[in-house]
Amino acid sequence: MQITGGRGGKARHDGLAACRSARCTAACHQLDLPVLYAAMGIQAAVFENSLTDASEAAALQHGPWTCKRLLSRGLAASERFLHQAGFEQGPWLSVAFGAGITAWFALPTPIWWAAFLGIALAFIATGSASFSARQTYPYLLRGTTAVVLIMAGGLSVAWVRSELVGAAPIERPISGVFEGRLLGIEPQPARGRDRLLLAMRDPTTDSGRAIKIRVNRARDGSHLRLQTGDVIRFQGRLMPPAPPMLPGAYNFARTAWFSGIAATGSVLGPVLHVERGRPAGRLAELRQKLTDHVRSRIGESASGLAAAFVTGDRGGIVAVDDQAMRDSGLAHLLSISGLHVSALVGAVYLLVLRLAALFPWLALRVRLPVLAAGGGALAGIGYTLISGAEVPTVRSCVGALLVLIALALGREPLSLRMLAVAAFCVMMLWPEAVMGPSFQMSFGAVLALVAISGAAPVRRFMAPRDEALIIRALRSLVLLLVTGIVIDLALMPIGLFHFHRAGVYGALANVVAIPLTTFIVMPLLAGALLLDLVGAGTPLWWLAAHAIEALLALAHTFASLPGAVNLLPATGNGAFLVFILGGLWLGLWSGRVRWLGLPPALGGAFLLAMSPSADILVPGDGRQVGVVEEGGQRLFLLRNSDGGFVRDNLMEFTGMEAEPLSLARWPNARCNQDFCTFTIVREGRNWRLLLSRGRDTVPERALAAACERSDIVIADRWLPRSCRPRWFKADRRSLKQSGGLAIHLGEQRIDTVAQTQGEHGWWVRRPDALDRPRRP
């Protein structure tokens, strides 16, 4: 190819080079070459004459087809979408941080954690070194790099916190006489006990490492007064924190690990003072005195809720009232969180703002919103400290402080970015909170609230109009009801996943309960405490007691309505993750694109609702076995039990309220004092089960013959190797390694607790001695 000299030749040379570098752009925008050349100031005829080399011309014409093959339409669409998204991308960084934390809990071993970090760093390095990708997809590359980096940071934060605060459990259960220093006392008068937190030496190891334990002490009328800092001696029983009873059940061992608790147990005898000590914390002492004062000043029926509102102490709430609050959708009122902190901070903010405006000298020299925000911040921090500084309270306080900062700066107080910053701060301090229902439901509710308030139809509905006051009030009431329904719909799958039950009428109950609590109960309690300083709080205590009783009556009314509670058996994590991702997409984007999250949100909720229960449930000790009737209508238990922790958990896990029946009443079941044998029919196949009930010696030959005729054998005793069922055997030894079991006969699948724990510190790794299911 020949390029003539001079200004015209240089222009043609530059134009040809620009054309070659822009071939991909021409293909992407579907422009023909003459139009592109004309746009660059090059005449098509001049360009055609310059192409004397036929092979080079063919290569140039082939370029757009190569570019079309390399450049995906999906990548181009993603690039345009991120370019238009702007600041809406910011909250997704907090989502990525939470995803990294979740990955640490989900991945089983440190090798996986290190591999995750290595892959993330390799991806970031590759993306940073790819010049062509930075030129072609700058937004997409920058966004994916930031997400991967933040995910790696989330996993690292969870790993580091586990190493710093995790407390290894004691090696084995132990009974004896123990001595320790009292760190905290949590009175639970509704349960007739006190919960003690002590520091002591590990009695199961030679090193005698320092550990923290939690024991329950029954209230026996003793006049011994304990206070934090005392050294006490007691006879009791200690055991490692309990792992999940069944796969997917509540994991107290994980909670205890991040709380630094190495053992739990109970006090079996009198407590003796060894040494009087100074109180460990003035705030804890002040909180307890305030709790006792509230309980002494208000009626017995309302004292539990009153203490919960003031100091966050829920130990005085009767179990019946607690369950009614849950079933009516009002349980969030019992935990000092967003509603309580925001009500207090908002009241103090408005009070300081109005009072300061009465002084012209102050109003002319100080920005009153800044002054009011400072007063609200001090009130919120003080309330958080007095109430025990639990994670939900701290989370709410952080959110309230961010709102105050926004108000002081004249910015929008309630926004997705504020919510994302608050979530990021909480996850940095307490990454384990991501796995709990409190974090998920709190931020889920606020996310639904922000999404609803920011939607264009809602803004048009609530726009200022020249209308009567009653019409504006009705409009606000409609918005409150709609918001409550949306929040309930958003939180119901989360509640069903974690607790296997959720209230149906929560939106209606909250329309009355939230104003009652915010504008009547809490101001009356605060006023009564202030007037008690001069001994004049009795009238307000009387009014507060009646207001709380009205709240309890409301809870019991809605909880007793037909169909007030939805029950759901335990399900897998997949459907729940699909729902969460769909909900986040719905809440964090704006415009039409947000509706792309509706199908996965509805699909995840549908899969959660349609998930069947396991056919056989075996807790970790093997003493109790639950068998679910086909269709999930009834639960049968191996051992008769009128109550107890295991029975209640099995009922909750299967999503049933009907009283369980004895397995001896199963059709064609044959039971004696040692064993039960019966047949389960699933999907046209008969499964014969043999379950152990006693500990008496059984002839090995007879046991081996019975095992040979059975498909599944489950026992809380040790079984000899000669016991070989056709499909699966679980005895005392194998259950110790695997933990609880959930057996799905239709899918021929066995889920174990061990599969969900990996090598995290709260689960002691042992050799896998679980008998594998045989091929049927």
Side-chain angles (χ1 to χ4, degrees), residues 166-403:
I170 60 176
E171 296 178 355
R172 62 185 185 279
I174 185 173
S175 299
V177 177
F178 308 104
E179 184 176 304
R181 185 175 296 276
L182 197 57
L183 300 178
I185 306 173
E186 181 184 350
Q188 296 180 331
R191 299 186 180 184
R193 69 185 188 188
D194 293 328
R195 179 164 284 173
L196 310 180
L197 189 65
L198 300 110
M200 57 178 291
R201 295 292 178 179
D202 187 353
T204 63
T205 60
D206 296 333
S207 61
R209 64 187 177 105
I211 61 173
K212 186 164 59 174
I213 68 169
R214 196 188 73 181
V215 294
N216 295 325
R217 174 202 176 202
R219 292 192 167 188
D220 54 1
S222 172
H223 296 288
L224 178 65
R225 181 172 177 80
L226 301 176
Q227 65 179 13
T228 55
D230 291 349
V231 178
I232 60 174
R233 183 182 295 120
F234 62 95
Q235 182 180 0
R237 175 175 173 80
L238 301 179
M239 60 189 67
M245 181 180 296
L246 296 163
Y250 172 64
N251 194 345
F252 175 69
R254 184 178 66 197
T255 303
W257 171 268
F258 285 101
S259 300
I261 297 175
T264 61
S266 56
V267 177
L268 303 179
V271 175
L272 302 177
H273 263 124
V274 176
E275 177 186 336
R276 284 286 186 183
R278 293 183 177 180
R282 296 294 181 184
L283 281 175
E285 184 180 4
L286 175 62
R287 182 192 182 204
Q288 189 56 51
K289 288 182 178 179
L290 189 58
T291 300
D292 295 339
H293 177 75
V294 171
R295 288 175 178 165
S296 65
R297 295 287 288 162
I298 203 167
E300 183 177 355
S301 60
S303 62
L305 264 68
F309 288 144
V310 176
T311 64
D313 190 336
R314 301 175 56 177
I317 302 177
V318 182
V320 177
D321 294 339
D322 188 40
Q323 191 61 51
M325 296 290 286
R326 291 181 182 275
D327 292 344
S328 60
L330 303 179
H332 64 95
L333 299 177
L334 301 180
S335 174
I336 294 182
S337 54
L339 176 66
H340 308 76
V341 175
S342 60
L344 177 66
V345 171
V348 173
Y349 179 89
L350 291 176
L351 183 63
V352 173
L353 189 65
R354 298 302 183 187
L355 290 178
L358 298 177
F359 300 93
W361 181 90
L362 185 63
L364 292 174
R365 290 167 175 80
V366 179
R367 288 194 64 226
L368 297 188
V370 176
L371 182 64
L378 292 177
I381 294 173
Y383 189 35
T384 300
L385 294 176
I386 291 176
S387 62
E390 299 291 337
V391 174
T393 315
V394 175
R395 180 172 61 240
S396 303
C397 183
V398 170
L401 293 179
L402 292 174
V403 170

Side-chain angles (χ1 to χ4, degrees), residues 684-696:
R685 177 178 174 179
N686 294 335
W687 296 85
R688 185 175 177 82
L689 278 73
L690 178 66
L691 307 183
S692 170
R693 300 182 69 181
R695 295 292 185 89
D696 294 338

Side-chain angles (χ1 to χ4, degrees), residues 655-679:
M656 296 185 186
E657 280 190 316
E659 287 297 319
L661 302 177
S662 172
L663 196 55
R665 299 179 59 180
W666 185 276
N668 300 321
R670 299 172 58 190
C671 298
N672 56 30
Q673 63 180 1
D674 294 316
F675 288 93
C676 265
T677 178
F678 59 99
T679 300

Side-chain angles (χ1 to χ4, degrees), residues 528-554:
L529 288 172
L530 290 176
L531 290 180
D532 270 356
L533 296 177
V534 295
T538 301
L540 292 187
W541 285 118
W542 183 83
L543 292 174
H546 281 74
I548 292 176
E549 289 173 358
L551 180 63
L552 285 174
L554 178 71

